Amino acid sequence: MHWLIVSSGIVALAVAMGIGRFAFTPLMPLMLRDGTLTVAAGAEWAAANYIGYLLGALTAAWFSRNPRRGLQLALVGVALTTLAIAGTGHGSPPWMGALLRGAAGVFSAWALVCTSGWGLAELARRQAPQLGAWIYVGVGLGIALAGTLAWLGGPQPAQWLWLEMGLLAAGGALFVGWKLQQHAATAGTAAAAPPPAPSPRTATQGTLPLVLCYGTFGFGYIVPATFLPAMARQQVADPLVFGLTWPLFGLAAALSVMAAARYLSAWPRRRVWALAQGTMALGTALPLATPSLWALAASAVLVGGTFMVATMAGLQLARERLPNNPTPLLSRMTVAFAAGQILGPLLVRAIGPGLVAGWDALAWANAAATVLLIVSAAWLWRDSNPPPSTLTKHLP
């Protein structure tokens, strides 16, 4: 039963985040190559997805009493919007793609909040909260799968790749729906009483710093997460080379969550989060030193290897703070994250295409992200208890 919940969560996040949230990142350079998308339209698509993610975070609390239903609805929405994008082309209205990516953002936020709210609560109820970390492996696996598909399928038209990803999303939605039905049948037909809703004071007291740190995390990761393949494409035009940055990003995300689940399960969640956010700062700072391809690849590993650990630790910490009904706090943190990731591209746009003191807009955004990540990581580390020594028990 435990691994039925974990496997459902892994596939759900692989579909929702790897495809619904992040598929556009590796496909944008290919669409620019095919002439099916302009740079301006690409920015609109990305902004629409960020805004949709924010709207999804704001409305995810609708499903606080039934997150399983919200998860099913979200995955079906991701599959349908991805398949619909495959049907857009030169003859489609220019706003159609942005609308579909915005809707995908809504569905991906619902899926993340509902998967966390349902999966972490179910595992805690079965006295296996330590398995909750494994659910977040799905995000990295989904990114790696979508990135590998775009990497190996680079010679294909991008529209075909959208179709293939839509079919994968549909298959994942069917798998999760089947697993959720199995879980419902195994759990029995007796409906449990809904958990008592926390009072407004309990739900908000002492959580603002956590929400702000999570918003800082959203700002910090978004520039490399959005522009890494495009930045690598400036160094080399071969899609089999520049396209490799995104599978590396996803693979690093999956492996880092596995490592954290295996070796850091007894650490306070604040310290795991602080460690991830501090390492991410190194990843955002590295391209400032040199824009070379190796630096971009290292940045992909450092940011990709920490952003899901930070997500995992932050959302687990929210469940620890409000164990009966964490969905409202999960929603608030996701709202802050979504706002942070909107501010990143807005800062790039505000600076514009020129150089300021020798740096372009991406460099200044990375510099701001580095500073904010370091400050928030220091606060999280200072405000936590010292972790026990957990590594020695795994040595022979």
mmCIF file of all heavy atoms in Angstrom, residues 6 46 48 62 124 128 175 246 281 327 359 371 375:
data_model
loop_
_atom_site.group_PDB
_atom_site.id
_atom_site.type_symbol
_atom_site.label_atom_id
_atom_site.label_comp_id
_atom_site.label_asym_id
_atom_site.label_seq_id
_atom_site.Cartn_x
_atom_site.Cartn_y
_atom_site.Cartn_z
ATOM 1 N N VAL A 6 3.256 5.939 -3.252
ATOM 2 C CA VAL A 6 4.475 6.573 -3.754
ATOM 3 C C VAL A 6 4.530 6.527 -5.278
ATOM 4 O O VAL A 6 4.846 7.529 -5.939
ATOM 5 C CB VAL A 6 5.715 5.901 -3.139
ATOM 6 C CG1 VAL A 6 6.989 6.407 -3.813
ATOM 7 C CG2 VAL A 6 5.779 6.175 -1.641
ATOM 8 N N ALA A 46 5.763 31.533 -22.063
ATOM 9 C CA ALA A 46 6.371 31.300 -20.750
ATOM 10 C C ALA A 46 5.662 32.106 -19.675
ATOM 11 O O ALA A 46 5.351 31.596 -18.592
ATOM 12 C CB ALA A 46 7.856 31.654 -20.798
ATOM 13 N N ALA A 48 2.603 33.200 -19.712
ATOM 14 C CA ALA A 48 1.267 32.643 -19.502
ATOM 15 C C ALA A 48 1.321 31.422 -18.586
ATOM 16 O O ALA A 48 0.454 31.248 -17.719
ATOM 17 C CB ALA A 48 0.641 32.269 -20.844
ATOM 18 N N TRP A 62 -9.193 24.874 -3.167
ATOM 19 C CA TRP A 62 -10.529 24.327 -3.452
ATOM 20 C C TRP A 62 -10.588 22.832 -3.169
ATOM 21 O O TRP A 62 -11.644 22.294 -2.834
ATOM 22 C CB TRP A 62 -10.888 24.562 -4.928
ATOM 23 C CG TRP A 62 -11.125 25.983 -5.308
ATOM 24 C CD1 TRP A 62 -11.263 27.065 -4.476
ATOM 25 C CD2 TRP A 62 -11.240 26.496 -6.635
ATOM 26 N NE1 TRP A 62 -11.461 28.208 -5.199
ATOM 27 C CE2 TRP A 62 -11.454 27.896 -6.543
ATOM 28 C CE3 TRP A 62 -11.185 25.925 -7.901
ATOM 29 C CZ2 TRP A 62 -11.611 28.709 -7.645
ATOM 30 C CZ3 TRP A 62 -11.344 26.732 -9.019
ATOM 31 C CH2 TRP A 62 -11.551 28.110 -8.896
ATOM 32 N N ALA A 124 1.733 9.504 6.090
ATOM 33 C CA ALA A 124 1.812 9.784 7.521
ATOM 34 C C ALA A 124 0.762 8.991 8.292
ATOM 35 O O ALA A 124 1.018 8.490 9.390
ATOM 36 C CB ALA A 124 1.633 11.281 7.768
ATOM 37 N N ALA A 128 4.378 5.987 7.741
ATOM 38 C CA ALA A 128 5.532 5.907 6.837
ATOM 39 C C ALA A 128 5.835 7.273 6.230
ATOM 40 O O ALA A 128 6.002 7.398 5.016
ATOM 41 C CB ALA A 128 5.258 4.878 5.737
ATOM 42 N N PHE A 175 -2.717 5.889 -15.784
ATOM 43 C CA PHE A 175 -2.047 5.058 -14.775
ATOM 44 C C PHE A 175 -2.385 5.536 -13.373
ATOM 45 O O PHE A 175 -2.729 4.733 -12.492
ATOM 46 C CB PHE A 175 -0.534 5.099 -15.008
ATOM 47 C CG PHE A 175 0.261 4.400 -13.943
ATOM 48 C CD1 PHE A 175 0.466 3.023 -14.002
ATOM 49 C CD2 PHE A 175 0.799 5.107 -12.874
ATOM 50 C CE1 PHE A 175 1.191 2.373 -13.008
ATOM 51 C CE2 PHE A 175 1.531 4.469 -11.882
ATOM 52 C CZ PHE A 175 1.725 3.094 -11.953
ATOM 53 N N TRP A 246 18.994 19.967 -20.611
ATOM 54 C CA TRP A 246 17.736 19.736 -19.899
ATOM 55 C C TRP A 246 17.610 18.321 -19.342
ATOM 56 O O TRP A 246 17.171 18.145 -18.190
ATOM 57 C CB TRP A 246 16.560 20.094 -20.797
ATOM 58 C CG TRP A 246 15.294 20.343 -20.029
ATOM 59 C CD1 TRP A 246 14.107 19.682 -20.176
ATOM 60 C CD2 TRP A 246 15.082 21.303 -19.001
ATOM 61 N NE1 TRP A 246 13.170 20.177 -19.307
ATOM 62 C CE2 TRP A 246 13.743 21.176 -18.559
ATOM 63 C CE3 TRP A 246 15.901 22.267 -18.388
ATOM 64 C CZ2 TRP A 246 13.204 21.963 -17.557
ATOM 65 C CZ3 TRP A 246 15.359 23.050 -17.376
ATOM 66 C CH2 TRP A 246 14.025 22.892 -16.976
ATOM 67 N N ALA A 281 22.531 28.436 -5.066
ATOM 68 C CA ALA A 281 23.186 29.734 -5.237
ATOM 69 C C ALA A 281 24.501 29.586 -5.996
ATOM 70 O O ALA A 281 24.847 30.438 -6.829
ATOM 71 C CB ALA A 281 23.424 30.389 -3.877
ATOM 72 N N THR A 327 -2.979 21.542 3.139
ATOM 73 C CA THR A 327 -3.220 22.099 1.811
ATOM 74 C C THR A 327 -3.258 23.630 1.785
ATOM 75 O O THR A 327 -2.689 24.239 0.877
ATOM 76 C CB THR A 327 -4.517 21.511 1.214
ATOM 77 O OG1 THR A 327 -4.406 20.084 1.183
ATOM 78 C CG2 THR A 327 -4.741 22.026 -0.201
ATOM 79 N N TRP A 359 27.248 43.605 -17.768
ATOM 80 C CA TRP A 359 26.442 42.390 -17.648
ATOM 81 C C TRP A 359 25.138 42.555 -18.405
ATOM 82 O O TRP A 359 24.546 43.637 -18.425
ATOM 83 C CB TRP A 359 26.118 42.096 -16.185
ATOM 84 C CG TRP A 359 27.232 41.440 -15.428
ATOM 85 C CD1 TRP A 359 28.453 41.070 -15.902
ATOM 86 C CD2 TRP A 359 27.205 41.073 -14.036
ATOM 87 N NE1 TRP A 359 29.190 40.497 -14.915
ATOM 88 C CE2 TRP A 359 28.457 40.485 -13.748
ATOM 89 C CE3 TRP A 359 26.268 41.188 -13.027
ATOM 90 C CZ2 TRP A 359 28.786 40.006 -12.501
ATOM 91 C CZ3 TRP A 359 26.595 40.711 -11.769
ATOM 92 C CH2 TRP A 359 27.830 40.130 -11.499
ATOM 93 N N VAL A 371 22.290 36.231 -4.485
ATOM 94 C CA VAL A 371 22.271 36.937 -3.199
ATOM 95 C C VAL A 371 21.070 36.506 -2.355
ATOM 96 O O VAL A 371 21.189 36.183 -1.163
ATOM 97 C CB VAL A 371 22.256 38.463 -3.423
ATOM 98 C CG1 VAL A 371 22.041 39.201 -2.108
ATOM 99 C CG2 VAL A 371 23.556 38.909 -4.077
ATOM 100 N N VAL A 375 21.072 34.482 1.343
ATOM 101 C CA VAL A 375 20.455 35.056 2.540
ATOM 102 C C VAL A 375 19.390 34.116 3.112
ATOM 103 O O VAL A 375 19.347 33.851 4.321
ATOM 104 C CB VAL A 375 19.849 36.439 2.219
ATOM 105 C CG1 VAL A 375 19.006 36.945 3.380
ATOM 106 C CG2 VAL A 375 20.955 37.437 1.899
#
